[in-house]
Amino acid sequence: MIRFVLAFIGLCAGLYGCISLLAYLSLLTTGYSFTHYVLFIVFRFELYLMILGLSLFVAALLFPDIRRRKRRGRY
């Protein structure tokens, strides 16, 4: 159950970060160069939220459940 909650939180945070970063792509049409865009994104909270959320989502899906391994005697 905890893995599901962590995966859900990670997915929501990752999607929020990705959507925000895609919305910031409109800065390129207003005259920003790609280097200015990258420098702007590096200092935004959404980039780190996306990285944290997607890594939390992947970790919740890939790492096995410890309680399930203990019941089977493999731990």
Side-chain angles (χ1 to χ4, degrees), residues 6 10 14 48-61 63:
L6 288 177
Y48 303 108
L49 186 65
M50 180 193 72
I51 293 170
L52 177 71
L54 292 179
S55 61
L56 184 65
F57 177 71
V58 169
L61 291 181
F63 291 127

Side-chain angles (χ1 to χ4, degrees), residues 2 4 7 10 14 16 21 26 29-30 39 48 51 56 59 68 72:
I2 291 177
F4 174 73
Y16 175 74
L21 292 179
S26 65
T29 61
T30 61
L39 287 174
Y48 303 108
I51 293 170
L56 184 65
R68 192 174 291 170
R72 293 181 186 167

Side-chain angles (χ1 to χ4, degrees), residues 4-23:
F4 174 73
V5 171
L6 288 177
F8 182 72
I9 291 171
L11 185 65
C12 290
L15 283 176
Y16 175 74
C18 287
I19 290 171
S20 297
L21 292 179
L22 285 175

Side-chain angles (χ1 to χ4, degrees), residues 60-73:
L61 291 181
L62 291 182
F63 291 127
D65 192 7
I66 293 174
R67 286 181 290 164
R68 192 174 291 170
R69 288 176 65 191
K70 281 185 180 179
R71 276 188 255 147
R72 293 181 186 167

